[in-house]
Amino acid sequence: MSDTIRHHPMTRRQFMRVAASATAVSAIGPGRRASAQTRPRRTGGTFISAKTTEAPSLDPILEQALSQHRVSPLFYNRVVEWGADGKLEPALAESWTTSADGKTWTFKLRRGVKFHNGREFVADDVKYSYERILDPKVGSGGRGYLSAIDQIEVPDKYTVRLHTKEPSASLLAGMAGGWSAIVPREEIEKRGDLRRAAVGTGPFIFQEWVPQSHLKGRKNPDYWDKGKPYVDAVELKVIPDEANIVAQLRTGNVHHALLEDNKNYFLVKDDKRLATLRSPRLGFDMVNVNHGRKPFQDVRVRQALSLAVDRQEVLQAAASGLGTVTGPLTPAMKPWALPVETYKEWYTPNPERAKKLLADAGFPNGFKTTLKVIPTFPTMVAGAQVIAAQLKKIGVDAQIIQEEYGVWIKAIIKPSFDFDLTMNITNGDADPDSLLYRRFHSVEKQWNNDGDPEIDALLDQGKLTVDPAKRKEAYDRVQRLMVEKAIQIWTFSPDLIDITQNYVHYEQHFTTNYYGFRTVWLER
């Protein structure tokens, strides 16, 4: 340990206290089988899961789709990862220290880890992966996760040193985030990207991907987390009709499905052949508002839209009431999330006030606009119909436009921003900086095509402040401000509902963002 780099327990402790408490309640919902951890584990077998949609590509750094983020941990690792108890744990790093000023982080990496192509994982791979994510020309949506990093050093083969301009309370959370997978340079250079294959250090080795059919992986016999995974192989089937997935569960043809349409929970909850697991999500549904198009630059117009929406009605229609109304941070993100009652002024439907705001903005008779949805996302479709009807009551005629998943993603993200309003779903994040900065800070502005100086200042404060109380104060203020300025319309956080055969022992990843296939096992 050098003179300038030493263990700094206060910074780490402060961070871990915040990180752990922030996520501890994103845990087990009703329906989980208590016996899952009490029986001796069996190994072997092929675990089959079904889903309605899949991502257009598999690249962990370039692909925006939630469907890719869910499968990424099957094939990739991060330097640090979220553990089952909601704490950040060593993964590709065995340990780390921070300097006294909190601006230098030194990670000691695990030795003997191999990529699936047979080459040893070393410190240069972390440097390469992070620099690729941070390069604006690459266009990774995860750039904001790592934006605190100013410089990356590789003192030796198994050590990485990250220098930040200021102390960062969210750096570790960003490194554990969905975009921060470590990839081998030579595979990118050979293939151009990893859209069509997966080559990481994860528990499963990529075997085959047939789009709109299936994705297969086999057990990594050299996986560094000894003993895992427990099954020999995984297969993810794509079955666009969720009613068909429910039928496949009932006949035992698939082991697991994560419901997209929560109303299907009522079809299976009493079936003794199946087990259900309901979890509060970090993620949520919302309406993105394009501030780059008229008339949405006008805060009065956005506030009018917000006042027109009855969020409870949207939750009931879109997710059968299985979930909670949410603000910018979901209730699962305790202690960060403010109670939804905080937003009473803007969350209580008030068509008359909404009409007055529209009139003041120059639209006494309302206006026409469009509202995009992905047809294979049932909460989007059902939510859009309700919201369009609610907007109609204040004179806003929102034409619903359905777009295929891949087309929709290209249209709505930076730099396209080809939408007026769009339904959207996010997997959320465990840390407020990871969730909010890359989406709303002016430097990133990935969702709304806009930035706001007041919001920027609070997001900067939240990113740089390591004192938990002061950090919470910044995020309390920014949540209120985001809702008041209606920078987008938050609606609800649906429960995450996994269905498995009753002989499957499955644990949903605590963040609810990733499939928990690393530890799944089959009792028979």
Side-chain angles (χ1 to χ4, degrees), residues 313-352:
E313 190 175 76
V314 177
L315 169 62
Q316 187 61 43
S320 299
L322 300 174
T324 53
V325 170
T326 188
L329 304 181
T330 67
M333 289 184 69
K334 287 183 179 179
W336 302 110
L338 291 173
V340 74
E341 292 77 19
T342 304
Y343 315 122
K344 185 177 179 181
E345 178 183 359
W346 300 106
Y347 275 27
T348 303
N350 190 335
E352 293 309 312

Side-chain angles (χ1 to χ4, degrees), residues 33 47 249 254-257 273-277 498-506:
R33 288 173 296 136
F47 177 71
L249 282 164
V254 300
H255 295 114
H256 165 265
R273 296 167 297 181
L274 304 173
T276 60
L277 171 60
D498 291 274
I499 311 295
T500 71
Q501 301 297 327
N502 61 12
Y503 57 86
V504 171
H505 294 272
Y506 176 81

Side-chain angles (χ1 to χ4, degrees), residues 184-205:
R185 174 199 292 265
E186 66 274 15
E187 295 293 336
I188 305 294
E189 292 177 346
K190 181 172 71 177
R191 301 167 187 266
D193 55 47
L194 288 168
R195 294 182 188 275
R196 307 298 299 175
V199 187
T201 59
F204 294 96
I205 297 173

